[in-house]
């Protein structure tokens, strides 16, 4: 489980830290940095992919490398390096992965990197073009790479370091679906193991499901849409896959993905990720296209998911379906300080919010709190303290 | 007539030693120990009814946790949305709705009129809007109306209950008390915190027991307190008693 992430110099995340629970819900005013946090997490996950290609990642977001750098960091951060620190639990161990990613076009890689246990035992150190595993001597990096050095080390090299393997797997499991777009989900796709940012490749992803996984997806969808019958994948020529939905209207209604409503398609994409894999899932504006009457069940499935889940939302109704204790732990308010830097605070750590919880539901408290003023008094208390 | 009090802690309406939704007075087998604001309610009621609700065991406390329990039984799908002019005071409105509902149920159980009194300080932190007192009071009134509870009373001092007590115990008692409403709602304010001023006058910390003793020995006459926030409470209280006299549950 990923416990916390700290970043310096990534867009508005100039000097930023956030803690994560098994389920975390990001809230905040427009422009506070909710999407930026999801993008940053997706960025970190991509650094660790086996076939990491930072240019491809930038292209998928239509960014240039320099777009990642902070424009509000001041002199101190007017450099090309994004600094990061990720703390996670791997089995019984607590581990930190930290480093600096050089955004200059010829590099696009972590020029420094450390993986260590929280009590300071080194697992991987990368410095000055060399790397060291555990207590072993430093050796030259004699391979080309983008992203993380750890992403490129062969299994044979890592066979004595199961913790490093687990860290790599855990970070690479970060998957963002922050740009879910029904038009992309409706497209036919060729076989792939992962759905894209916009949901592209959904049909091919579901085609990789076992019978049990497909049954679980159907069951999850039926809990939300009682008239839903099944979702099937049809194989076309040359390996193309297409989704076909059956609903229990009249004698049964069968529709292709292009004719299915956008909300159902979004739900299929969300729930398919709860069925398969041990991923760290990111969903931006989870409420988009979802009917209010099924939000309760959707929230239950997200809170109880096997996977670690982060959602962002503007909807008080989403928050109101959280029980008070979950809300206290899980709701994180993002805001910008006077310099435009994104900060995070657990929303119910604000006295203005916590004193109302109980009499008001979490979503009602959110509606009834002057976020700007609450944050201003928090910032001034912090600067006085 | 029964008085159902609620709001804040021991140095305001009092505390409940039991987990009951409606906490009866200790003398009635319950765990309710009235605080200074409950005694002011008792004092005003006794003048108007010719009996003390406290002496006649016609007073109970509803704790915030009892209100929260009742709220949790409601579906989260039933959400209250604050209008922009009430933002920040939705808590007060919802609280008053729930207290009003409990008052109606209590009236049906006891077969007598019930006057719910909801106390809340108007702390006035840096993040509060200038019209915080009006918003809170208005929201409480609207909450009781929404619950269709005819005799609800908002008891909202400006900024804090200590200002009402200060009015009675200051150097020249009951004079120019409206000025006390300009004191700070922040207990940490070195010179303008009502609690600190009260401590200077009394020579000891104004905790619940000290204030209760002060009121019980007759050092505070609520009929003589002339401050806009107290006058608003007293006017509402008079109106509630008028309504309650003709209310046959």
């Amino acid at each position: 489980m990923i416990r916390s992430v700290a970043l310096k110099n990534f867009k508005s995340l100039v000097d930023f830290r956030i803690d994560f629970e098994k389920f975390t819900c990001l809230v905040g005013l427009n422009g506070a940095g909710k999407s930026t946090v999801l993008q940053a997490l997706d960025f970190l996950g991509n650094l660790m992919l086996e076939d990491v290609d930072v240019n491809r990642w930038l292209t998928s977001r239509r960014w240039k490398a320099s777009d990642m750098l902070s424009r509000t960091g001041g002199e101190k951060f007017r450099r090309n390096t994004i600094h990061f620190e990720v703390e996670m639990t791997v089995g019984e161990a607590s581990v930190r992965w930290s480093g600096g990613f050089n955004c200059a076009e010829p590099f696009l890689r972590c020029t420094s990197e450390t993986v260590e246990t929280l009590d300071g035992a080194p697992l991987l150190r990368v410095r000055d073009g060399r790397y060291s595993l555990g207590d072993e001597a430093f050796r030259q990096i004699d391979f080309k790479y983008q992203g993380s050095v750890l992403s490129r080390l062969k299994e044979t090299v890592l066979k004595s370091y199961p913790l490093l393997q687990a860290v790599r797997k855990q970070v690479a499991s970060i998957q963002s679906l922050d740009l879910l777009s029904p038009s992309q989900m409706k497209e036919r796709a060729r076989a792939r193991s992962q759905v894209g940012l916009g949901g592209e490749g959904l049909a091919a992803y579901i085609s990789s499901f076992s019978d049990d996984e497909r049954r679980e997806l159907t069951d999850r969808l039926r809990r939300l849409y009682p008239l839903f019958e099944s979702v099937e994948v049809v194989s076309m020529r040359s390996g193309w896959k297409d989704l076909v939905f059956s609903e229990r209207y009249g004698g049964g209604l069968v529709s292709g993905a292009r004719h299915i409503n956008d909300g159902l398609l979004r739900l299929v994409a969300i729930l398919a990720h709860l069925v398969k894999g041990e991923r760290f899932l990111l969903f931006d504006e989870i409420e988009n296209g979802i009917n209010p009457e099924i939000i309760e069940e959707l929230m239950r499935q997200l809170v109880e998911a096997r996977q670690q889940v982060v959602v962002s939302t503007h909807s008080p109704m989403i928050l109101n379906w959280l029980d008070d204790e979950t809300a206290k732990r899980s709701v994180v308010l993002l805001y910008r300080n006077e310099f435009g830097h994104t900060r995070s605070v657990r929303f119910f750590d604000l006295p203005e919010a916590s004193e109302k919880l109980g009499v008001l539901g979490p979503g009602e408290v959110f509606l009834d709190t002057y976020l700007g003023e609450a944050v201003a008094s928090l910032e001034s208390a912090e600067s006085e303290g | 007539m029964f008085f159902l009090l609620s709001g804040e802690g021991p140095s305001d309406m009092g505390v409940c030693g039991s987990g009951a939704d409606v906490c009866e007075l200790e003398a009635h087998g319950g765990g309710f120990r009235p605080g200074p604001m409950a005694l002011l309610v008792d004092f005003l009621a006794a003048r108007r009814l010719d009996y003390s609700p406290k002496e006649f065991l016609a007073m109970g406390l509803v704790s915030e946790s009892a209100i929260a329990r009742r709220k949790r039984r409601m579906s989260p799908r039933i959400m209250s949305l604050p209008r922009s002019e009430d933002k920040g005071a939705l808590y007060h409105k919802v609280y008053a709705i729930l207290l009003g509902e409990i008052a109606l149920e209590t009236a049906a159980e006891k077969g007598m009129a019930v006057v719910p009194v909801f106390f809340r300080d108007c702390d006035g932190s840096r993040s509060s809007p200038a019209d915080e007192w009006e918003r809170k009071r208005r929201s409480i009134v609207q909450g009781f109306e929404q619950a269709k509870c005819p005799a609800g009373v908002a008891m909202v001092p400006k900024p804090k209950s200590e200002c009402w007590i200060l009015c009675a115990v200051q150097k020249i008692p009951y004079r120019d008390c409206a000025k006390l409403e300009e004191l700070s709602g922040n207990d940490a304010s070195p010179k303008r915190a009502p609690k600190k001023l009260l401590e200077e006058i009394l020579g000891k910390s104004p905790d619940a027991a000290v204030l209760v003793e002060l009121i019980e020995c007759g050092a505070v006459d609520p009929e003589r307190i002339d401050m806009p926030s107290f006058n608003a409470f007293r006017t509402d209280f008079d109106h509630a008693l008028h309504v309650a006299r003709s209310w046959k549950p």
Side-chain angles (χ1 to χ4, degrees):
Chain A
M1 183 167 137
I2 291 178
R3 295 283 183 188
S4 71
V5 169
L7 279 149
K8 286 181 177 165
N9 207 21
F10 185 95
K11 300 187 86 175
S12 66
L13 312 180
V14 172
D15 191 2
F16 177 79
R17 183 193 154 91
I18 184 169
D19 293 328
F20 293 105
E21 295 290 325
K22 191 166 159 297
F23 173 81
T24 303
C25 183
L26 307 180
V27 298
L29 298 170
N30 285 326
K34 297 188 292 296
S35 297
T36 305
V37 169
L38 301 185
Q39 289 157 0
L41 291 167
D42 188 41
F43 164 71
L44 292 171
N46 266 268
L47 297 184
M48 204 61 94
L49 292 181
E50 203 177 339
D51 58 345
V52 52
D53 180 343
V54 177
N55 292 108
R56 189 179 62 207
W57 183 80
L58 289 167
T59 305
S60 73
R61 292 195 175 269
R62 300 182 184 181
W63 289 2
K64 300 188 297 293
S66 58
D67 291 339
M68 289 192 283
L69 295 168
S70 169
R71 290 182 292 131
T72 56
E75 198 60 44
K76 194 167 57 160
F77 292 110
R78 242 174 244 159
R79 293 182 192 143
N80 282 326
T81 306
I82 295 166
H83 297 274
F84 60 87
E85 193 173 290
V86 181
E87 289 184 5
M88 64 198 96
T89 47
V90 183
E92 298 289 300
S94 295
V95 183
R96 182 188 298 116
W97 170 53
S98 59
F101 176 87
N102 192 325
C103 283
E105 287 290 351
F107 296 101
L108 298 181
R109 63 184 182 229
C110 297
T111 47
S112 66
E113 201 172 345
T114 302
V115 182
E116 59 191 346
T117 60
L118 286 196
D119 46 20
L123 298 165
L124 170 72
R125 288 169 289 169
V126 178
R127 305 274 181 281
D128 306 322
R130 300 183 307 154
Y131 75 95
S132 153
L133 291 168
D135 293 327
E136 294 176 25
F138 276 88
R139 61 185 100 171
Q140 207 67 30
I141 300 174
D142 55 2
F143 47 84
K144 284 188 175 177
Y145 73 101
Q146 282 198 350
S148 157
V149 169
L150 181 56
S151 73
R152 306 314 303 254
L153 296 179
K154 292 185 174 132
E155 293 287 328
T156 48
V157 175
L158 292 179
K159 66 177 185 296
S160 309
Y161 297 95
L163 260 183
L164 279 179
Q165 293 183 36
V167 167
R168 177 159 78 180
K169 189 176 168 201
Q170 174 133 211
V171 176
S173 80
I174 297 174
Q175 183 173 11
S176 181
L177 292 144
D178 61 300
L179 298 174
L180 272 186
S181 148
S183 63
Q184 293 193 48
M185 287 185 268
K186 287 174 182 181
E187 292 300 320
R188 293 170 182 169
R190 281 201 164 107
R192 56 194 293 168
S193 60
Q194 192 165 322
V195 177
L197 293 172
E200 62 273 27
L202 181 62
Y205 180 63
I206 293 174
S207 75
S208 72
F209 279 22
S210 67
D211 287 348
D212 281 348
E213 288 165 344
R214 210 165 297 180
R215 264 193 295 277
E216 185 185 333
L217 175 60
T218 302
D219 179 53
R220 284 179 179 273
L221 281 161
R222 278 187 194 155
R223 276 186 261 158
L224 294 157
Y225 281 114
L227 289 174
F228 177 81
E229 181 70 38
S230 67
V231 55
E232 300 294 336
V233 181
V234 180
S235 294
M236 320 287 285
R237 279 182 299 176
S238 310
W240 291 93
K241 310 285 181 192
D242 210 352
L243 289 173
V244 175
F245 294 81
S246 303
E247 293 169 282
R248 294 180 198 166
Y249 290 109
L253 186 64
V254 177
S255 316
R258 279 176 207 80
H259 304 286
I260 210 73
N261 70 78
D262 292 355
L264 177 56
L265 212 48
R266 272 182 66 89
L267 278 175
V268 172
I270 293 165
L271 298 179
H273 286 84
L274 302 188
V275 167
K276 192 173 179 178
E278 292 174 27
R279 292 186 179 275
F280 180 88
L281 298 169
L282 314 172
F283 300 107
D284 203 8
E285 300 188 355
I286 188 72
E287 69 275 13
N288 279 357
I290 309 287
N291 288 344
E293 60 265 33
I294 59 174
I295 280 179
E296 177 187 15
E297 176 58 27
L298 176 63
M299 289 307 289
R300 182 179 298 126
Q301 293 197 31
L302 288 169
V303 170
E304 293 174 0
R306 291 190 289 271
Q307 298 82 353
Q308 193 173 358
V309 174
V310 179
V311 303
S312 79
T313 184
H314 287 286
S315 166
M317 190 173 266
I318 290 278
L319 300 182
N320 236 39
W321 281 115
L322 299 175
D323 66 66
D324 291 356
E325 289 311 310
T326 304
K328 278 185 206 168
R329 285 194 308 272
S330 300
V331 180
V332 175
L333 174 69
L334 299 177
Y335 64 95
R336 296 251 207 149
N337 68 8
E338 59 178 313
F339 306 108
H341 305 167
T342 295
R343 297 293 184 92
S344 77
V345 62
R346 279 205 293 202
F347 180 62
F348 288 101
D349 283 353
L350 295 174
E352 292 91 335
S354 64
E355 68 190 14
K356 293 177 181 173
L357 192 61
V359 172
L360 298 185
E364 289 169 315
V365 176
F366 184 64
L367 278 175
D368 198 40
T369 303
Y370 289 93
L371 295 180
E373 283 81 350
V375 158
S377 53
L378 188 78
E379 282 287 310
S380 68
E382 207 172 86
S383 59
E384 282 166 19
Chain B
M1 196 178 298
F2 191 85
F3 291 82
L4 201 55
L5 315 179
S6 191
E8 305 265 358
S11 57
D12 297 306
M13 280 304 196
V15 286
C16 172
S18 81
D21 279 359
V22 175
C23 194
E24 303 271 358
L25 286 158
E26 284 183 321
H28 206 228
F32 174 30
R33 287 193 299 283
M37 293 302 109
L39 296 186
L40 292 188
V41 170
D42 184 59
F43 190 105
L44 289 176
R47 285 273 179 89
R48 286 151 180 77
L49 300 173
D50 293 330
Y51 66 87
S52 151
K54 183 168 161 270
E55 299 298 318
F56 271 68
L57 308 180
M59 193 177 253
L61 184 83
V62 178
S63 66
E64 180 163 341
S65 51
I67 295 280
R69 276 199 297 278
R70 189 177 181 91
K71 179 64 172 27
R72 274 191 213 103
R73 289 199 292 270
M74 293 167 60
S75 165
R77 209 177 287 180
I78 302 168
M79 277 187 64
S80 306
L81 306 175
R83 292 178 300 189
S84 58
E85 65 267 29
D86 294 327
K87 191 169 171 110
L90 178 66
Y91 167 90
H92 301 77
K93 185 173 183 176
V94 171
Y95 199 120
I97 292 171
L98 298 165
L99 181 61
E101 289 173 0
I102 294 173
L104 293 177
E105 288 170 11
T106 308
E109 274 169 30
K110 292 185 180 291
M112 66 171 88
V114 170
V115 178
V117 184
F118 175 25
F119 173 90
R120 201 75 189 177
D121 274 332
C122 174
D123 292 340
S125 65
R126 265 182 295 196
S127 63
S128 308
D131 60 348
E132 185 189 10
W133 180 80
E134 285 87 352
R135 284 178 188 233
K136 287 187 172 174
R137 201 176 153 277
R138 185 174 61 224
S139 295
I140 294 169
V141 170
Q142 287 171 350
F144 284 132
E145 280 173 6
Q146 197 165 320
K148 298 193 168 28
C149 179
V153 181
M155 188 178 194
V156 186
K158 190 177 179 181
K160 306 193 90 163
S161 61
E162 285 86 357
C163 295
W164 290 350
I165 309 287
L166 267 174
C167 174
V169 300
Q170 63 184 340
K171 199 168 181 183
I172 306 175
Y174 306 106
R175 180 183 284 187
D176 289 338
C177 290
K179 282 185 183 165
L180 296 169
E181 297 198 343
E182 291 161 20
L183 291 172
S184 171
N186 179 3
D187 284 343
S189 172
K191 289 185 180 163
R192 291 168 42 78
K195 196 171 263 183
K196 285 197 174 136
L197 295 176
L198 201 49
E199 185 169 351
E200 278 172 26
I201 291 170
L202 299 177
K204 51 188 164 185
S205 173
D207 59 24
V210 168
L211 297 181
V212 163
E213 191 184 343
L214 198 69
I215 295 169
E216 280 182 336
C217 75
V220 180
D221 181 353
E223 302 292 6
R224 295 181 65 196
I225 297 174
D226 182 13
M227 302 169 71
S229 62
F230 195 85
N231 294 344
F233 157 62
R234 196 168 39 210
T235 303
D236 283 359
F237 190 74
D238 285 338
H239 177 71
L241 292 199
H242 175 73
V243 171
R245 280 194 183 96
S246 56
W247 177 16
K248 303 275 182 267

